Amino acid sequence: MKKDYFGPYGGRFVPETLMPALIELEQAYLKYRKDKDFQKELAHLQKTYIGRPTSLYFAKRFTEHLGGAKVYLKREDLAHTGAHKINNALGQALLAKRIGKKRIIAETGAGQHGVATATGAALIGLECEIYMGSVDMKRQALNVFRMRLLGARVIEVAVGSQTLKDAINESLRDWTTNVRTTHYVLGTVFGPHPFPSMVRDFQSIIGKEAKKQILQAEGRLPDYLVACVGGGSNAMGLFHEFLGDDIKMVGVEAGGKGIETGEHAARFAGGSVGVFQGCKTYLLQDDDGNVLGTHSVSAGLDYASIGPQHPYLRDSGRVQYTYATDDEALAAFELLSKTEGIIPALESAHALAEAVKLAPKLSKDKIIIINLSGRGDKDVQHVANIKGIKL
Amino acid sequence: MNKIEKLFKKLKAQNKKALIPYIMAGDPSLEKTKEIALMFEECGADIVELGVPFTDPLADGPTIQRAAERALKNGVSLRKVISFVKDLRQKTKIPLVLMTYYNPVFKYGEGEFIVDAKDAGVDGVIIPDLPPDEAGGFIKLSKKAGLAAIFLLAPTSTEDRIKKVASASTGFIYYVSITGITGAQLLLDGSIEKSINGIRRITDKPIAVGFGVSTPDEAASIAGIADGVIVGSAIVKKAQTGVDEELRDFLFKLREAIK
């Protein structure tokens, strides 16, 4: 396997202008991955600033309601800024400083990665600009204001589908223009090498903690891991540490209004292999290789492609992939709120929706860990709108 | 020798520089694109570069992005551009180069694309998001077919990169004049000349410069240091309704400037 590939997936499909920066970034990432000072600084901030380790919580009433396997939640919603995105954003912001960049940029869909990057920039003292599609700015208005409060400039992307993929295009264009002074904090396990591996490594703390915590709580490994998959960083973060263990893993894509309607973001159910935004992976595309529009109730999953390690894990059968529809996710969103007093992000609600289907089919001695990748405050307004309630 | 290589050899012997105008195929329509391409030839262009529309053109600025959106709305695809070239070939022998993103080629099938493009009369292909590092198969197949695989160099390219790109590129080397996207502001501060001299120390392949060349004056400056000048966004802006006096006049002025 080529070092920048996962089987046939991955690679570095970018304009020449960016190639030297990616090579430089790869070298820096390999160096600092083993650098004791860097790791010490990161670990210190993970503990004192992000609030790690996040807890692994047994969702007793949710479990009782489903009447089957025990459901544990890995509480990334309790990480500073309210989602797992900070794990990667902070890591990359520290790295950017070490390689002498003064400015960081990022794309954002749901706004969580934008908020996390703006937070990292404020903490470390870097200039920060965030690209966000017009459609997403509307449905995630709260996060737009949060980013501005944090001192970042939010740049509206009004071209194409005006969602995450267009925000990534604009970020790549900005990076191409300002590559000498700027680091692009890509928010997921996607894009050109080394991003898929680097982001996974920054997120893998989720699985490392979860493993220790479940061994402490139950004295054994879980039977299932479940996580939602947009680009796929929270899923890789949870799965990575367990890849060598004999347990099942499920990635949940956004089924939108149903696969048959064409309005979804289920790349495995409705896509094929393509090359997009820097890597070879699964993609929702037409017969001419143009990228199709997507739909999901959750902005963070509303994306036409998926990180390249995911199809690799799918081909080998190591991870199963399924999808949850908007309606299923919304039902799970409300169910967890009412049974546990935890309002999940709509993205994470897709993983919960899978648990709603899976847990009742399993006996009570089985254990499922769900990555509760983010909290749902940002989605409250949007869900109210969907339900026709005026706040 | 490929048609493009022959052309540059001939121009060099005559101490002339190549004018390479770009147009997005299908903007405003394939019929008009044909008229525009033939007008380019009439005005003395040496090579015509045809853009293939793609939904996510990440190396392009707003002018070409919007042109691609219009062409896609007209139903233009890579397949249609290839049959368009076949049609255009009935009228002209001018060297034709396609500029496309990689995914349409990948979806088409690399081998099939190269054979079909060559058969239709395409002479070279530029794929901005396919660096030589990822183009092993493409380089091999295009060589076999006699299609030029034109790779790009940028102001950020290191000596290692220059060596790699220069050895992979056939036809010519496309030097991106700015760290940025198509249609951005050109900076004529001597840095382009310095970079090109650096490339020339490593290779004697022809170098054409594009991205950001928007006026005849700029084209004249670039022609003084490179073997060819590519003009894209500035033409696309003027070509939205097809051939008119303004567009024709612009091409004449570019031709006069590039000597």
Side-chain angles (χ1 to χ4, degrees):
Chain A
M1 188 155 83
K2 277 168 77 180
K3 70 174 165 51
D4 42 0
Y5 270 77
F6 306 96
Y9 309 108
R12 196 137 58 183
F13 295 84
V14 293
E16 174 61 26
T17 311
L18 291 178
M19 286 297 284
L22 287 166
I23 292 164
E24 177 198 50
L25 181 63
E26 181 188 14
Q27 284 161 355
Y29 151 70
L30 292 174
K31 177 182 165 196
Y32 288 112
R33 198 166 61 158
K34 288 184 192 143
D35 183 274
K36 280 197 182 118
D37 280 349
F38 180 82
Q39 290 302 332
K40 210 172 132 190
E41 186 180 6
L42 180 61
H44 179 70
L45 287 172
Q46 282 170 338
K47 187 174 170 206
T48 57
Y49 188 74
I50 300 180
R52 303 206 73 89
T54 59
S55 69
L56 183 72
Y57 167 73
F58 172 48
K60 186 160 174 281
R61 292 195 65 228
F62 186 67
T63 296
E64 282 167 9
H65 178 88
L66 298 177
K70 290 175 89 166
V71 178
Y72 280 83
L73 305 176
K74 180 58 176 163
R75 297 290 306 276
E76 290 302 296
D77 61 318
L78 295 178
H80 179 47
T81 71
H84 73 291
K85 291 292 184 190
I86 189 76
N87 301 326
N88 167 51
L90 188 62
Q92 283 198 52
L94 283 176
L95 193 63
K97 197 181 176 192
R98 296 267 174 151
I99 57 180
K101 305 289 182 182
K102 308 231 174 312
R103 172 178 178 262
I104 54 178
I105 55 167
E107 83 295 345
T108 197
Q112 291 302 101
H113 175 57
V115 167
T117 304
T119 300
L123 175 71
I124 289 161
L126 298 165
E127 195 189 324
C128 180
E129 297 192 277
I130 306 292
Y131 288 91
M132 190 170 190
S134 317
V135 170
D136 291 338
M137 283 179 78
K138 267 187 214 105
R139 59 183 164 180
Q140 304 287 347
L142 179 71
N143 272 342
V144 174
F145 188 59
R146 285 172 80 195
M147 287 183 266
R148 288 179 176 149
L149 279 176
L150 291 161
R153 200 158 80 90
V154 181
I155 304 169
E156 179 172 355
V157 180
V159 296
S161 64
Q162 308 179 4
T163 60
L164 182 56
K165 93 173 165 76
D166 309 284
I168 294 178
N169 287 339
E170 278 307 301
S171 301
L172 285 167
R173 290 178 186 125
D174 180 315
W175 200 30
T176 304
T177 306
N178 301 297
V179 63
R180 290 192 172 103
T181 58
T182 299
H183 173 66
Y184 176 22
V185 182
L186 188 61
T188 190
V189 289
F190 191 72
H193 178 72
F195 282 108
S197 304
M198 182 174 73
V199 176
R200 177 202 64 208
D201 289 351
F202 281 131
Q203 291 294 358
S204 64
I205 190 161
I206 301 171
K208 283 180 191 151
E209 287 175 6
K211 195 177 221 178
K212 255 188 223 159
Q213 289 164 324
I214 197 70
L215 287 172
Q216 215 159 39
E218 294 281 349
R220 71 175 185 89
L221 293 176
D223 300 286
Y224 282 88
L225 302 176
V226 181
C228 65
V229 187
S233 70
N234 90 79
M236 279 317 310
L238 177 64
F239 296 167
H240 190 59
E241 185 68 14
F242 293 90
L243 286 175
D245 299 314
D246 183 24
I247 61 175
K248 294 191 169 73
M249 302 181 190
V250 185
V252 187
E253 297 186 280
K257 295 177 181 168
I259 305 303
E260 66 289 350
T261 66
E263 291 187 55
H264 62 84
R267 288 69 45 102
F268 289 134
S272 55
V273 181
V275 175
F276 187 51
Q277 293 178 334
C279 60
K280 188 181 287 181
T281 183
Y282 266 68
L283 177 63
L284 290 169
Q285 58 184 329
D286 66 15
D287 293 340
D288 297 315
N290 283 305
V291 181
L292 292 172
T294 53
H295 164 82
S296 171
V297 69
S298 110
L301 304 183
D302 197 353
Y303 182 55
S305 192
I306 182 168
Q309 196 171 358
H310 285 287
Y312 176 64
L313 294 172
R314 179 175 178 259
D315 285 358
S316 68
R318 184 64 198 90
V319 179
Q320 263 76 53
Y321 292 84
T322 181
Y323 60 87
T325 63
D326 286 355
D327 288 346
E328 289 166 339
L330 285 164
F333 176 87
E334 290 195 35
L335 181 63
L336 192 76
S337 302
K338 281 175 184 145
T339 55
E340 293 291 347
I342 298 170
I343 301 175
L346 278 175
E347 291 77 20
S348 321
H350 285 71
L352 292 163
E354 174 58 20
V356 169
K357 294 176 211 169
L358 180 64
K361 288 189 257 177
L362 301 174
S363 60
K364 291 189 175 173
D365 61 337
K366 299 288 187 206
I367 299 167
I368 303 173
I369 295 178
I370 296 171
N371 199 4
L372 197 71
S373 54
R375 69 176 188 226
D377 308 46
K378 68 181 177 63
D379 296 312
V380 168
Q381 180 89 47
H382 184 49
V383 172
N385 285 345
I386 290 168
K387 291 170 74 86
I389 298 163
K390 224 177 153 135
L391 298 183
Chain B
M1 201 186 285
N2 182 289
K3 208 154 107 190
I4 297 170
E5 285 160 1
K6 273 185 203 150
L7 168 81
F8 276 104
K9 206 175 166 189
K10 191 183 95 193
L11 289 174
K12 195 174 181 181
Q14 299 170 344
N15 205 18
K16 283 184 183 162
K17 304 299 172 76
L19 164 61
I20 310 173
Y22 167 102
I23 187 76
M24 173 64 70
D27 174 41
S29 67
L30 284 175
E31 202 43 52
K32 298 257 184 194
T33 303
K34 191 172 169 183
E35 290 170 19
I36 293 167
L38 294 172
M39 181 275 284
F40 285 168
E41 186 179 27
E42 233 180 272
C43 295
D46 298 292
I47 298 174
V48 171
E49 186 181 335
L50 274 177
V52 177
F54 179 55
T55 40
D56 296 84
L58 57 84
D60 284 304
T63 300
I64 293 180
Q65 282 174 46
R66 279 196 289 270
E69 279 176 14
R70 289 190 294 269
L72 286 171
K73 222 172 246 171
N74 292 336
V76 176
S77 62
L78 180 57
R79 223 164 264 282
K80 285 200 177 147
V81 174
I82 289 173
S83 45
F84 167 76
V85 169
K86 208 172 207 168
D87 181 44
L88 185 62
R89 270 286 168 249
Q90 311 297 314
K91 301 259 180 189
T92 174
K93 289 196 168 87
I94 193 166
L96 287 170
V97 167
L98 294 191
M99 174 145 171
T100 175
Y101 285 85
Y102 185 52
N103 196 51
V105 172
F106 178 79
K107 187 76 179 166
Y108 197 111
E110 257 181 14
E112 210 189 333
F113 163 75
I114 287 166
V115 169
D116 289 359
K118 180 71 190 170
D119 283 353
V122 172
D123 299 294
V125 182
I126 302 164
I127 308 179
D129 59 345
L130 185 72
D133 317 56
E134 301 288 353
F138 190 86
I139 291 167
K140 217 168 124 188
L141 292 167
S142 53
K143 196 173 214 171
K144 204 173 139 196
L147 192 71
I150 298 152
F151 290 97
L152 296 89
L153 278 171
T156 51
S157 299
T158 54
E159 197 173 317
D160 279 356
R161 301 289 315 158
I162 296 173
K163 282 179 184 155
K164 185 171 247 177
V165 170
S167 95
S169 207
T170 50
F172 63 89
I173 293 166
Y174 191 136
Y175 181 72
V176 175
S177 57
I178 41 169
T179 48
I181 52 181
T182 58
Q185 184 63 44
L186 194 65
L187 193 65
L188 289 167
D189 61 353
S191 59
I192 299 174
E193 185 169 12
K194 210 174 140 204
S195 299
I196 288 179
N197 289 341
I199 300 168
R200 292 218 198 270
R201 275 195 288 275
I202 291 170
T203 179
D204 55 5
K205 287 185 181 168
I207 303 166
V209 174
F211 281 42
V213 184
S214 65
T215 66
D217 281 352
E218 287 170 349
S221 307
I222 297 293
I225 50 182
D227 304 301
V229 185
I230 302 160
V231 183
S233 299
I235 290 176
V236 170
K237 260 183 211 159
K238 296 184 191 345
Q240 285 174 36
T241 52
V243 177
D244 60 13
E245 274 321 298
E246 194 199 348
L247 183 60
R248 197 184 288 270
D249 185 51
F250 186 57
L251 260 292
F252 273 126
K253 283 190 175 135
L254 286 173
R255 182 66 278 181
E256 275 172 24
I258 298 168
K259 282 176 183 149

